[in-house]
Amino acid sequence: MEEFTIQPPRTNYLNAEYGIKSWLLTKDHKRIGILYMGAISFFFLIGSLYAMAIRLELLTPQGDLTQSSTYNKMFTQHGIIMVFFFLIPSIPATLGNFLVPMMIGAKDLAFPRINLLSWYIYMLGGIITIYALLAGGVDTGWTFYTPYSTTFSNSYVLATGLGIFINGFSSILTGLNFIVTIHTMRAPGMTWYRLPLFIWSHYATSLIMILGTPVIAITVLLLAFERLAKIGIFDPALGGDPVLFQHLFWFYSHPAVYIMVLPGMGVVSELIANFSRKNIFGYKFVAFSSLAIAVFGFLVWGHHLFVASQSVYAGMIFSFLSFAVAIPSAIKVFNWTATLYKASISYDTPMLYALGFIGLFTIGGMTGLFLAALATDVHLSDTYFVIAHFHYIMVGGTLLAYLGGLHYWWPKVSGRMYPEGWGRFSALVVFIGFNLTFSPQFVLGYMGMPRRYHTYPVEEVSWQVLHVLSTAGASILGIGLLIPLIYLAWSLRYGRLAEANPWQLPGLEWQTASPPPTENFIETPIVREEAYEFAPPETKEVVGKFEREKPFPFYG
């Protein structure tokens, strides 16, 4: 049987050019993805430091560490940094930038210069926001609710809002680039139903980016008008309506939850199918459920206003729609689970993160049903239950998917393998630390502990016990996140050289060298098979612990 190998080219996207200028002026989507990766890692570190300070403050009932005004700034700045500068761009701007062209057989994104521009816009928004935090910070909560943000707050609301406003254009340009690329630059034979599910999820995410982000930009602009010019838009004393702000804010910010989690779902679809060696169960259902989530996501913002003077009838409609959005999410979970049934599963680090994602996202989704129900939401609104639910979706979902995707494609990105043993160990530590951090917060919220308070009654001993558990879990989680940072950095110099296709998979991104050449493929690939078409058993051969088909199916 003829041996099939892909010889790495002498030059690749990492060594094609040297020097800072070659990176800052690059139009290569892969290098821009790396630039984003460095930037979001920095913002994640800043947001994590705020989280650490919050957990330390809540160890005791008294306000030992900070005053209430400082605590207000800490949780506000934690939320702003994590939501706008880490979670939203985390997977689309890094893994999406790197992989969308490669997975459809293109040489680059449709608009390389706009792609670089989007990174500069992101950095400009981030720098302005960091300036606002260093100058004195902002204390409105990441939701900027009026009239406090427009009238009463003496913190740096406008500077922070300007940073977020500018950052929004980065999301819009990235979404536009993805949509045009997916429509116009697919390789021959790459039909819509042969697209990897990672691409479908990024397509749906891009639609939300383009349609939803302008709404938050306009909302921030209106907030600035009222704060500067005293025009009555949201302040009732000036003839405005504060609930109008909440409608506008959540019209974007609830779909923004799906900007954060849909790309993670795309990553998990890849991991489940490829590490199960099995075509994804119900491919079309999983693909169209991404679009359904994008559409339904725009119809459910009102469930954030159940206790904000919204009419009962509107509340009932939004409650029904909020339950409905669970259907496409459940379709994904059920199909992933069905894919695992009787599969040949490899429990490598990326797969461990994928399995962790399914468990944590399911808990986050199921607890969301309590917040979609009118009666229980009244009791749980603005409590730690909401904090726990949100973090199970965002951190348990998006962060685990990001880590899983980072490990999965690390050989392609860096050309090096990471130490698998440390990868599995850190995945376990992250999973344990995360659950110990946030599961006690469900109980705290049910018992009535409000969010955004830096003190709680001394006589509530059980509250302190739960807070201590949560802080201990956050410490374990922090260690779990530090371990990959160390061994991934180590692997850049000392890791084993990665072959072109270390996982022995059929995806297009694995049919080129690791790391890839600047133009991704030496020859334009021709796609002849489905996205997850694994060979029948009689045509497989075992390479290490993986099975593969020879020759690879995408070249004719």
Side-chain angles (χ1 to χ4, degrees), residues 77-156:
Q77 291 158 189
H78 167 71
I80 288 171
I81 292 290
M82 284 300 201
V83 170
F84 294 106
F85 294 96
F86 174 70
L87 286 171
I88 287 179
S90 59
I91 295 178
T94 58
L95 299 178
N97 240 320
F98 196 97
L99 292 159
V100 164
M102 296 183 67
M103 293 177 84
I104 64 172
K107 291 183 178 180
D108 207 321
L109 287 171
F111 307 113
R113 288 183 174 83
I114 288 179
N115 194 24
L116 180 61
L117 175 64
S118 71
W119 180 75
Y120 276 105
I121 291 173
Y122 169 81
M123 292 304 297
L124 178 62
I127 290 169
I128 292 174
T129 303
I130 291 293
Y131 156 75
L133 305 189
L134 294 176
V138 62
D139 63 353
T140 59
W142 75 277
T143 50
F144 291 95
Y145 273 6
T146 58
Y148 182 71
S149 61
T150 56
T151 306
F152 301 107
S153 174
N154 294 318
S155 57
Y156 283 73

Side-chain angles (χ1 to χ4, degrees), residues 262-280:
L262 263 173
M265 291 174 164
V267 171
V268 170
S269 295
E270 296 297 315
L271 300 181
I272 293 294
N274 290 327
F275 284 89
S276 301
R277 303 287 159 180
K278 197 174 169 187
N279 197 349
I280 197 89

Side-chain angles (χ1 to χ4, degrees), residues 256-267:
V257 169
Y258 301 113
I259 293 178
M260 302 177 218
V261 79
L262 263 173
M265 291 174 164
V267 171

